[in-house]
Amino acid sequence: MDLIVEKRRMTIPELRLLGGAALRDVPVGFEAYGRLAPARDNAILVCHYFSGTSHAAGRYCAEDAKPGYWDEIIGPGKAVDTEKFFVISVDTLCNLNAFDPNVTTLGPASLNPATGEPYGLRFPAVAIADFVRLQKAVLDALGIGRLHAVMGPSMGGLQTFEWAASFPERVGRIVPAIAAPNFGGWLIGWLSQWAQPIRLDPAWRGGDYYASGAPKAGLEAALRLITLNAFDADWADHVIGRGLKQGGDPADLAAEPFAIEQALTDAAREKMPLMDANALLYLVRANQTYIPGAGAGAGDADDGLSRITCPSLMIHAPGDQVFRAEWVEAAARKIGAETVPLHGPYGHYNGILKIADAAERIRSFLEG
């Protein structure tokens, strides 16, 4: 039976950001699965990835086409067993899906109460540590002082490391997936490339496009690039191949004749109506500036990782071209983590599409 979930919302009176700005009356959306034990000691926080939301499992109604992204491992009797654990997930600030009615977030597309107009780039810069501070505020409001575990994929994995480094007294164990907290300039450069098509679109207008029309061409190009970077060559070669799309003419240079190009376009156009281009820029910068433990004053990744003392299970994809295997292995050695490889044709996306392969390791780690 599918897990039917309800989106919940609350308002946080004040949230002080890592950069010093204070946000007031912050709306936030979250989902919860299972029941909180009387001792409030069975909570697991699941942090979502770059283009994700708090919809980690289940469906909002039986007719939903797809469940939450980690539905294969979250639910009754599953690896993250909601008959034993109270599982909670929270929408980030500057959520990319700002126009999704099931997402509650505060970011550049939100109305500035001082002007009545969208913030645009006047919204303060955010950090991964700020997403964690917002989660902490939600947990505080729910009366949850200590988490049995924190887990999440990709950007959610970065939040997981931040929890363990900045609030070690509140975290029992962590399960970061397809994430490395000690990346270098190569990933920062790739993230910059993700953002560049938006900045080059004339419709972007320096972020002030909400009245004139969104930079759709730039956002589509950015999403195509992100998808190709996150998938592995095996996916492109074996799932899509080199073939032309039906009716394509390779001599027509104005067309997109290849099936891989059409697949990337279709994926982008399916997602982009709910997404805000400015939010993508904010998320890129939050990831570029990430340091584990920044919320507690860590100066660099090594400093932050040295603060992590809880048991750790790192799930990774050996062919990942976003968070490379050598970074994952170095971080695992630093914190003494167990590692679980996910093999498959999807590269970085193995952490979503192949997560069930790690289900038993996750179950034993959480229940051990």
Side-chain angles (χ1 to χ4, degrees), residues 115-126:
T115 66
E117 301 291 334
Y119 281 99
L121 298 194
R122 290 168 292 278
F123 194 78
V126 296

Side-chain angles (χ1 to χ4, degrees), residues 77-298:
K78 297 180 183 180
V80 187
D81 191 348
T82 53
E83 294 178 335
K84 298 177 180 178
F85 298 111
F86 177 74
V87 182
I88 185 167
S89 185
V90 180
D91 292 329
T92 63
L93 295 167
C94 301
N95 193 282
L96 183 53
N97 303 278
F99 306 125
D100 185 337
N102 289 313
V103 169
T104 301
T105 187
L106 189 67
S110 304
L111 294 182
N112 182 344
T115 66
E117 301 291 334
Y119 281 99
L121 298 194
R122 290 168 292 278
F123 194 78
V126 296
I128 299 294
D130 297 323
F131 304 163
V132 168
R133 290 179 177 188
L134 180 60
Q135 293 158 359
K136 179 177 176 292
V138 171
L139 294 171
D140 288 346
L142 295 175
I144 299 172
R146 179 172 169 81
L147 292 161
H148 179 79
V150 183
M151 57 194 304
S154 194
M155 188 181 81
L158 299 185
Q159 295 166 69
T160 300
F161 287 117
E162 169 62 19
W163 263 102
S166 285
F167 302 104
E169 73 286 355
R170 296 189 65 157
V171 179
R173 66 202 73 197
I174 59 171
V175 187
I178 52 170
N182 52 337
F183 57 84
W186 187 82
L187 180 55
I188 291 174
W190 263 112
L191 289 165
S192 178
Q193 293 304 302
W194 291 8
Q196 190 69 354
I198 292 170
R199 296 182 180 277
L200 292 176
D201 188 332
W204 180 56
R205 297 168 55 91
D208 287 325
Y209 55 76
Y210 295 102
S212 58
K216 294 181 180 179
L219 179 57
E220 180 181 318
L223 294 174
R224 284 165 51 103
L225 183 59
I226 292 168
T227 301
L228 186 60
N229 188 200
F231 272 119
D232 191 81
D234 282 349
W235 168 79
D237 293 343
H238 299 132
V239 179
I240 307 296
R242 290 190 57 180
L244 300 175
K245 69 180 183 182
Q246 187 175 2
D249 179 2
D252 181 4
L253 298 184
E256 290 184 334
F258 292 98
I260 182 66
E261 294 177 298
Q262 190 62 51
L264 295 171
T265 297
D266 290 346
R269 290 180 180 175
E270 179 184 3
K271 300 173 184 175
M272 58 187 289
L274 301 179
M275 293 182 170
D276 177 45
N278 277 340
L280 191 148
L281 304 184
Y282 274 78
L283 292 176
V284 160
R285 182 56 59 90
N287 281 264
Q288 288 176 315
T289 58
Y290 173 74
I291 294 173

Side-chain angles (χ1 to χ4, degrees), residues 281-358:
L281 304 184
Y282 274 78
L283 292 176
V284 160
R285 182 56 59 90
N287 281 264
Q288 288 176 315
T289 58
Y290 173 74
I291 294 173
D300 58 27
D302 283 343
D303 182 14
L305 290 175
S306 70
R307 302 170 186 230
I308 296 176
T309 58
C310 65
S312 306
L313 180 70
M314 292 180 64
I315 300 169
H316 67 104
D320 193 338
Q321 293 302 305
V322 179
F323 290 107
R324 297 175 62 87
E326 58 266 32
W327 303 338
V328 173
E329 292 161 0
R333 289 193 298 270
K334 181 78 173 178
I335 65 175
E338 300 178 53
T339 58
V340 179
L342 291 175
H343 298 286
Y346 307 113
H348 186 63
Y349 281 122
N350 281 327
I352 305 295
L353 301 176
K354 298 287 287 183
I355 191 62
D357 290 357

